[in-house]
Amino acid sequence: AVVSTQSTGRCPVCQSAVPPLPDIPGDVLVEFLMTNRQSLAGVACANCDSSHPVESMLFCNTCSQPLCIECRDATHAAKMFARHEVVDIVSKRLNKQRLCSIHNEAF
């Protein structure tokens, strides 16, 4: 999905005032959580489609997909996935200081 900033004049990431910009890509995790906000108690694994408690879910930053522990063990244990970054879905955004890709400001 794409976030449009043409009408607001504000960066959707760091809220800095900006002139109207072309459409910029949105955040995959936020979009996933917003899509599934009605069932945050049960998040679907992108691999097996089973619903799991959000506290037990993982997120593969490389694949940009939520994974249950069982599917991570079954699929991401293969050598070809060795460099994939798999993190806890709940703390994914809390543990990483992020910078706005447009303005290079922390948010």
Side-chain angles (χ1 to χ4, degrees):
V2 173
V3 176
S4 178
T5 58
Q6 290 183 359
S7 62
T8 65
R10 291 262 178 222
C11 174
V13 177
C14 67
Q15 298 303 311
S16 295
V18 294
L21 299 171
D23 291 340
I24 57 175
D27 184 295
V28 174
L29 177 61
V30 171
E31 291 172 17
F32 166 77
L33 292 174
M34 291 301 290
T35 301
N36 293 289
R37 69 184 177 273
Q38 292 85 5
S39 61
L40 282 178
V43 176
C45 172
N47 191 49
C48 68
D49 294 326
S50 296
S51 183
H52 300 273
V54 70
E55 298 83 17
S56 68
M57 290 297 289
L58 304 168
F59 190 84
C60 179
N61 286 325
T62 309
C63 297
S64 296
Q65 296 292 326
L67 286 172
C68 67
I69 293 169
E70 294 82 10
C71 287
R72 187 266 326 257
D73 292 345
T75 62
H76 279 60
K79 187 176 180 179
M80 64 187 268
F81 294 108
R83 293 190 177 176
H84 281 220
E85 180 185 19
V86 179
V87 297
D88 179 283
I89 199 168
V90 174
S91 62
K92 176 190 181 316
R93 291 179 55 87
L94 299 176
N95 293 335
K96 186 188 279 187
Q97 181 181 14
R98 297 188 57 191
L99 296 177
C100 175
S101 60
I102 299 170
H103 305 101
N104 205 29
E105 293 182 23
F107 67 97

